Amino acid sequence: LKVTGSDDNDSVLSGSVTIEYPKEEDEEQSSSLSSSCVSSHLFLTASNASNELNRLLEEAQQVVRNHQYESENSNSKIFSTSTHLQQRQQLVALEGFISGRRALGSSLLFVDIVLEDDDDTDNVAYIQALLKRNDKGEDDDVDNESSSSQSSFSHLFNVYFKVLQPGTRVRLVGQAGPSHRPSESLLLIQSVKLIAPNNNPQHLKNVLRFAMSGDLPMDDIARALSMESTSKLAELLESCDSDDNSGQKRMTDHFFFTLAKQVLESHPNRGSLLESHPN
């Protein structure tokens, strides 16, 4: 802040004063906490999965109630309830194998997950997860980034829909959501990582196709298949060169099915892979 003035002899005096405003510690801590909540995942186990999902759901519902109250008592434009909830809710992760799946139309897939305790094999938990297609334009108040994210997930829905098959072991990340039973909650899936396939080449052929197209990370699939390296999987996928002179890749169901059978036959832990009936 620059200050000027004059004395009794009309001599001009000048000087400066530096004013330092105290940092808003509460605001900084709140911003840091919010960022931490978004980036960190609460890992669910067989011992705590059900209770933690119910707790997070109750907290989320309280957030919605508070948000609705603020909306009714404010003239300013704010995010829609669903967008506000997604930004504030804790992300959770779990790992288990799929015991069943039920598709409702082309936009909803319910998956039954079995969680096992590494220290106590008798301690298991059964969690229901929901994969939902987020169509573009579902919310009225979304920015371009959110709209792009929804479009991306809508594409991944088709990938996850085929990957989530009975007998596969997966790692899911998502948020707690309500189920048809008032006393229970479910996991709203946001991302899927394959940990181990089932023993069905009809299902594995889709995984191999998605790895080749880049829809699934090739290094994740190589680890799930217990391969020595990602390059080993890449070599197998590159073997799809046509045996004619057209120069075209024969990326057909027959090729990927045959390759899936070969991969399963050479899998070092095939005996531990679970059986599944094709869907």
Side-chain angles (χ1 to χ4, degrees), residues 24-197:
E24 297 291 343
E25 295 183 359
D26 292 341
E27 182 179 344
E28 285 188 348
Q29 291 175 356
S30 175
S31 175
S32 176
L33 179 61
S34 175
S35 175
S36 175
C37 289
V38 171
S39 62
S40 63
H41 299 164
L42 173 64
F43 192 79
L44 303 182
T45 65
S47 301
N48 70 3
S50 181
N51 290 337
E52 286 295 329
L53 281 177
N54 289 335
R55 177 184 67 81
L56 291 171
L57 178 60
E58 175 58 31
E59 291 180 356
Q61 290 172 336
Q62 183 61 50
V63 169
V64 170
R65 288 192 290 268
N66 294 340
H67 179 70
Q68 290 173 337
Y69 175 81
E70 293 173 359
S71 300
E72 294 171 357
N73 293 274
S74 175
N75 293 324
S76 61
K77 182 179 179 181
I78 54 179
F79 289 119
S80 65
T81 297
S82 59
T83 303
H84 181 77
L85 178 58
Q86 290 177 354
Q87 292 179 342
R88 294 293 300 274
Q89 196 177 350
Q90 168 75 58
L91 288 176
V92 298
L94 59 81
E95 184 177 315
F97 69 87
I98 300 174
S99 61
R101 56 174 269 162
R102 296 171 300 285
L104 296 181
S106 60
S107 298
L108 293 175
L109 176 65
F110 289 90
V111 181
D112 298 322
I113 308 293
V114 180
L115 307 183
E116 298 173 318
D117 194 327
D118 294 336
D119 299 326
D120 184 2
T121 55
D122 294 330
N123 184 21
V124 297
Y126 302 92
I127 300 297
Q128 188 176 77
L130 171 61
L131 180 69
K132 178 182 179 182
R133 185 192 302 274
N134 290 332
D135 290 324
K136 190 174 182 180
E138 186 179 71
D139 294 325
D140 293 333
D141 299 321
V142 293
D143 55 21
N144 292 334
E145 183 177 353
S146 299
S147 178
S148 175
S149 176
Q150 287 182 355
S151 178
S152 176
F153 185 83
S154 182
H155 170 71
L156 286 176
F157 174 91
N158 300 319
V159 177
Y160 295 158
F161 189 90
K162 293 186 177 181
V163 171
L164 294 171
Q165 298 290 347
T168 58
R169 188 172 187 87
V170 293
R171 178 186 175 94
L172 305 178
V173 175
Q175 297 173 326
S179 70
H180 65 284
R181 298 177 181 177
S183 60
E184 296 182 4
S185 58
L186 50 74
L187 179 70
L188 300 176
I189 301 173
Q190 293 188 3
S191 68
V192 177
K193 179 179 179 180
L194 182 68
I195 302 300

Side-chain angles (χ1 to χ4, degrees), residues 213-234:
S213 65
D215 291 314
L216 292 176
M218 193 172 294
D219 54 346
D220 286 350
I221 303 306
R223 282 192 293 268
L225 298 176
S226 299
M227 291 188 172
E228 298 175 357
S229 63
T230 303
S231 59
K232 177 65 177 179
L233 176 59

Side-chain angles (χ1 to χ4, degrees), residues 225-277:
L225 298 176
S226 299
M227 291 188 172
E228 298 175 357
S229 63
T230 303
S231 59
K232 177 65 177 179
L233 176 59
E235 290 174 5
L236 286 175
L237 294 175
E238 284 299 321
S239 68
C240 69
D241 288 331
S242 176
D243 54 2
D244 57 26
N245 295 325
S246 65
Q248 299 294 321
K249 300 284 187 180
R250 53 179 182 184
M251 298 171 61
T252 63
D253 279 349
H254 176 71
F255 165 75
F256 284 107
F257 178 75
T258 302
L259 183 59
K261 289 177 62 177
Q262 296 174 356
V263 170
L264 289 174
E265 288 171 358
S266 61
H267 196 288
N269 301 316
R270 185 176 185 181
S272 64
L273 300 182
L274 300 179
E275 298 288 340
S276 175
H277 297 289

